[in-house]
Amino acid sequence: MLQMVVCVKQVPDTAEVRIDPRTNTLVRAGVPAIINPFDAHAVEAAVRLKEKYGGRVTALSMGPLQAEEVLRRALGMGADRAILLTDRAFAGSDTLATSYILARAIEALSRETPVDLVFCGKQAIDGDTAQVGPGIATRLGFTQLTYCMAIDAVDLEQGYIQVQRKLEGKREIIRGRLPALLTVVKDLNELSYLSLPALIRAALATITTWNKDNLDLDPAQIGLKGSPTSVRRIFAPPARPGGEIIPGEPRAAAATLVARLVQMKIIADK
Amino acid sequence: MPADTANTGYRGVWVFIEQVGGEVAPVSWELLGAGRQLADALGVELAGVLLGQGVAGLVTEAWAYGADKVYLVEDPVLGPYRTAPYARALVQLVKEYKPEILLLGATSLGRDLSGAVATSLGTGLTADCTSLTIDPETRLLEQTRPAFGGNVMATILCRRHRPQMATVRPRVMPMPSRQEDRRGELVRVDMAFNEAEARAEVIEIIEEKNKAIYLDRAEIIVAGGRGVGSKENFRLLEELAGVLGGTLGASRAAVEAGWLPPEYQVGQTGTTVRPKVYFAIGISGAIQHLVGMQGADVIVAVNNDPQAPIFKIATYGIVGDFREVVPALTAEFHRQLAPGPG
Ligand SMILES: Cc1cc2nc3c(=O)[nH]c(=O)nc-3n(C[C@H](O)[C@H](O)[C@H](O)COP(=O)(O)OP(=O)(O)OC[C@H]3O[C@@H](n4cnc5c(N)ncnc54)[C@H](O)[C@@H]3O)c2cc1C
Ligand SMILES: Cc1cc2nc3c(=O)[nH]c(=O)nc-3n(C[C@H](O)[C@H](O)[C@H](O)COP(=O)(O)OP(=O)(O)OC[C@H]3O[C@@H](n4cnc5c(N)ncnc54)[C@H](O)[C@@H]3O)c2cc1C
């Protein structure tokens, strides 16, 4: 029986987020909110482990009330219950504060039944930091296994999990002690189709909400106050320079281009 | 409450020297170059931190790339990288020697380690920076980074906590020149480790550089689109990828045509890539494709339509039939990359 928690974040579909060049503010109007794509794979992984080893999957999200939607999505995918952490005092949390709040919630769940595995996405596609997973692992003292692309085995008796981590041009096979926190990449699995009955059940399910008082949090560690980093300004990225057409017939143009690239040392001599 | 540590004697700029099996991630040297400028702007020392087993030989390298001082911790437990002992070693060094800035490469290892270390220290961490400057008035580190998939840039400060920590994207900061005879100070720090605290055992590391599943980590990608016309024609792209040690990629149109399997697709519904060089061959440049590859350092477009939108964002373009241009590129790379007499 594996006790598993999956952290899911609601994010804007970032392909459509833009900066208003006059005001330098984010234009989010009309941008659809979705489940962070990596987190969907994390839910899938947990549900598959449950099918194999038995256990329970709890989906956990911190965000405004509308983040309920991503929790329903997780329930539709097979999570057993969902908890939304929502409080105005959480607003403005950076990754240090976010990992504090999520870790406290997981500790609360562990007091019911000890948690064996926590899943996070590799990173959220809005904040893009990849820092919340390691933050939670550190706070809980769990084995930290990032960039998981395969789960080879879980052995509850021996108390370990073996995974494959996706590194630069290589994969690392590593066996870590339970409890562990995994952050996952999309290669880990293919998402299953959602069945209609499951979706209906998810739509009707009750979602537990916890606020700051339910979690007995130190007010100095949450929200803006608990966040050592602050965003001084945001702006649009500089336009890509480019557009240079190399003239000449194919062979001559190819020779010029290759000479340029070789000179830039961007393609290494072998 | 993480303590307010801004004014409690934290001084100096540190760079974590990332090595695996004695091989240093080039971003570490790039960071010594960037760190040198920050240290000079602040009038403080630049130090490298080297953790591992049997890595003392790298100390002179760190001096040569600009470190005034190198902190070295060696232990068999630090041989293969595991988060817990590395994090503990780095946290202990920071607590003892108190740097005001700590930089790591935004590699898998650097991002894995930095998140753990910043949390233990209760300080701020800025992810994947592309620019670092010092505000002369406040002496604060201005950390600029892309977010929202590169659609937004943000400048982040860590005002009241030390060290100010950041990971920095590889290949953004210039590689500093190596000063052969430059020497610095070595501080060897003894710490006791035990294997159990690692909580994990590395079983095997498998090199698989040119596989499509590593597209997001590939340094050179030769991608083809509908313009390539057939599965057979992809052979020409494969040959180009072959001379460069690169990986193939594809637009959705090419995947839908069945010329390459779906894991090769680049773009909004495929993989986001950030190679050194991205070749877009017979790809028109639809926005859904561009969002997946516009982070490449250099984009080369080959297309027979001079009006193709891809040319607007390409660093270099060649207008022509790829059936002539691509083999010419392959032949030229062969010729110009051939090991010469020097
Ligand atoms: C433009 C911009 C730049 C920023 N830069 C930084 C920065 O450099 N450093 C910093 O500390 N903060 C930064 N932040 C704040 C940061 O985005 C928030 O703290 C956010 O709550 C978590 O970070 P993330 O989105 O990067 O998540 P990541 O760390 O990338 O998320 C990884 C995984 O953690 C889990 N997770 C993350 N958030 C939640 C949640 N709310 N609920 C459930 N699970 C979750 C998910 O499983 C997710 O896949 C920035 C914010 C903005 C708007
Ligand atoms: C929701 C959504 C998501 C999408 N996601 C993705 C995605 O992830 N990735 C993606 O790629 N697309 C995606 N698309 C599709 C995208 O809109 C384009 O249709 C697609 O990228 C076009 O592929 P292409 O450039 O290969 O083909 P085309 O647009 O047909 O371009 C072919 C090009 O080849 C050139 N050409 C023809 N013959 C030659 C020759 N002999 N020599 C040289 N050049 C030649 C032509 O001039 C033309 O520019 C998505 C679309 C939607 C709606």
Side-chain angles (χ1 to χ4, degrees):
Chain A
M1 292 286 278
L2 281 169
Q3 291 297 325
M4 293 175 280
V5 175
V6 188
C7 298
V8 292
K9 185 182 183 189
Q10 189 178 47
V11 296
D13 189 344
T14 52
E16 300 183 33
V17 172
R18 288 282 173 275
I19 290 270
D20 181 327
R22 282 172 311 117
T23 57
N24 266 339
T25 50
L26 280 183
V27 184
R28 290 187 193 234
V31 176
I34 57 173
I35 183 170
N36 182 43
F38 297 101
D39 302 357
H41 291 271
V43 175
E44 182 78 31
V47 169
R48 289 193 194 179
L49 284 185
K50 179 181 72 170
E51 283 161 4
K52 199 161 165 190
Y53 299 98
R56 177 148 82 152
V57 177
T58 303
L60 184 64
S61 188
M62 178 188 93
L65 280 174
Q66 58 267 29
E68 223 188 82
E69 274 174 49
V70 295
L71 289 172
R72 291 200 191 279
R73 168 82 194 260
L75 290 169
M77 292 176 72
D80 301 289
R81 66 169 167 176
I83 298 170
L84 177 65
L85 311 176
T86 191
D87 199 306
R88 285 169 70 170
F90 298 164
S93 293
D94 73 355
T95 58
L96 189 72
T98 300
S99 71
Y100 171 68
I101 297 163
L102 291 168
R104 290 305 297 239
I106 295 165
E107 277 167 0
L109 292 169
S110 268
R111 280 192 289 274
E112 283 169 22
T113 324
V115 170
D116 303 299
L117 281 176
V118 176
F119 291 84
C120 285
K122 170 190 117 175
Q123 68 192 70
I125 61 167
D126 53 351
D128 270 346
T129 66
Q131 289 171 188
V132 171
I136 296 172
T138 301
R139 291 178 184 282
L140 298 176
F142 282 21
T143 308
Q144 175 176 319
L145 300 167
T146 49
Y147 305 102
C148 293
M149 62 189 294
I151 299 175
D152 293 338
V154 181
D155 189 331
L156 267 176
E157 228 142 78
Q158 305 280 331
Y160 73 81
I161 180 166
Q162 182 172 313
V163 301
Q164 304 188 13
R165 298 179 60 228
K166 187 177 189 181
L167 308 177
E168 286 82 357
K170 51 194 179 209
R171 72 170 83 195
E172 175 190 86
I173 302 176
I174 184 167
R175 188 175 287 186
R177 229 186 313 141
L178 294 173
L181 178 139
L182 276 55
T183 80
V184 313
V185 296
K186 292 182 189 172
D187 312 79
L188 183 58
N189 51 44
E190 299 262 332
L191 300 182
S192 307
Y193 283 102
L194 303 179
S195 77
L196 192 59
L199 286 177
I200 293 171
R201 230 180 308 120
L204 298 175
T206 25
I207 286 177
T208 311
T209 56
W210 285 350
N211 62 23
K212 69 173 193 307
D213 301 321
N214 298 110
L215 286 175
D216 181 29
L217 296 170
D218 171 3
Q221 293 197 53
I222 62 175
L224 281 176
K225 216 187 194 178
S227 297
T229 65
S230 58
V231 178
R232 171 183 270 186
R233 73 179 187 116
I234 55 173
F235 54 100
R240 247 199 107 84
E244 183 182 344
I245 301 284
I246 311 274
E249 50 86 34
R251 282 243 292 278
T256 311
L257 175 68
V258 169
R260 279 281 181 100
L261 293 176
V262 170
Q263 202 173 31
M264 287 166 80
K265 294 218 156 77
I266 203 153
I267 289 177
D269 292 271
K270 272 192 281 257
Chain B
M1 169 66 192
D4 192 321
T5 47
N7 296 306
T8 46
Y10 282 74
R11 228 178 128 73
V13 176
W14 279 17
V15 169
F16 174 74
I17 315 260
E18 173 181 334
Q19 61 78 29
V20 171
E23 199 173 313
V24 176
V27 66
S28 305
W29 305 143
E30 295 163 14
L31 286 184
L32 281 178
R36 181 78 264 160
Q37 293 186 352
L38 300 175
D40 290 349
L42 290 165
V44 298
E45 203 172 63
L46 173 67
V49 180
L50 191 51
L51 311 178
Q53 169 66 359
V55 292
L58 298 170
V59 169
T60 47
E61 287 298 295
W63 289 335
Y65 282 107
D68 301 316
K69 194 184 259 181
V70 175
Y71 294 93
L72 173 67
V73 183
E74 287 190 297
D75 193 279
V77 174
L78 300 176
Y81 173 79
R82 273 89 46 96
T83 314
Y86 266 70
R88 183 168 70 78
L90 194 48
V91 165
Q92 201 169 317
L93 288 174
V94 166
K95 285 188 171 159
E96 194 164 336
Y97 297 98
K98 298 186 174 11
E100 62 198 293
I101 291 173
L102 170 57
L103 307 176
L104 302 89
T107 55
S108 327
L109 191 158
R111 294 181 85 161
D112 183 272
L113 177 62
S114 60
V117 169
T119 307
S120 285
L121 292 169
T123 192
L125 171 62
T126 305
D128 203 20
C129 297
T130 53
S131 151
L132 298 172
T133 49
I134 299 287
D135 178 343
E137 245 161 67
T138 58
R139 295 173 58 91
L140 285 172
L141 180 65
E142 300 166 316
Q143 309 161 91
T144 298
R145 62 174 298 248
F148 292 89
N151 291 327
V152 170
M153 302 296 292
T155 302
I156 311 252
L157 299 179
C158 175
R159 292 175 198 274
R160 288 188 304 277
H161 296 79
R162 295 293 177 272
Q164 304 163 82
M165 282 183 64
T167 59
V168 180
R169 193 173 269 199
R171 302 198 307 270
V172 170
M173 307 292 170
M175 180 64 81
S177 55
R178 194 173 174 285
Q179 299 160 263
E180 192 64 52
D181 301 319
R182 199 174 173 283
R183 288 288 171 272
E185 192 184 331
L186 170 63
V187 183
R188 214 179 238 286
V189 183
D190 284 322
M191 289 183 200
F193 295 86
N194 61 70
E195 181 55 30
E197 74 178 299
R199 294 189 60 91
E201 178 194 350
V202 176
I203 313 273
E204 194 181 356
I205 294 179
I206 304 165
E207 296 271 345
E208 289 182 299
K209 280 224 182 306
N210 303 332
K211 286 257 186 73
I213 49 163
Y214 294 95
L215 218 50
D216 57 338
R217 313 281 163 105
E219 301 211 323
I220 293 173
I221 295 174
V222 180
R226 200 194 314 270
V228 173
S230 72
K231 195 170 188 159
E232 292 68 53
N233 285 346
F234 261 92
R235 259 228 337 272
L236 298 176
L237 278 63
E238 221 175 316
E239 283 164 14
L240 176 56
V243 275
L244 300 173
T247 308
L248 284 178
S251 73
R252 183 154 106 177
V255 167
E256 278 174 352
W259 302 335
L260 279 182
E263 61 267 25
Y264 286 85
Q265 184 180 319
V266 171
Q268 187 184 330
T269 42
T271 303
T272 301
V273 300
R274 223 182 54 76
K276 290 187 187 172
V277 188
Y278 188 88
F279 292 88
I281 315 284
I283 292 176
S284 61
I287 179 69
Q288 295 89 354
H289 189 79
L290 300 186
V291 294
M293 45 66 89
Q294 61 197 358
D297 295 355
V298 170
I299 296 170
V300 174
V302 177
N303 200 301
N304 60 4
D305 173 8
Q307 304 304 324
I310 189 80
F311 285 126
K312 289 208 191 70
I313 67 134
T315 325
Y316 301 115
I318 295 183
V319 179
D321 191 316
F322 83 93
R323 282 167 294 196
E324 294 177 48
V325 179
V326 171
L329 287 171
T330 307
E332 275 302 324
F333 277 119
H334 250 309
R335 202 172 63 77
Q336 296 196 31
L337 292 181

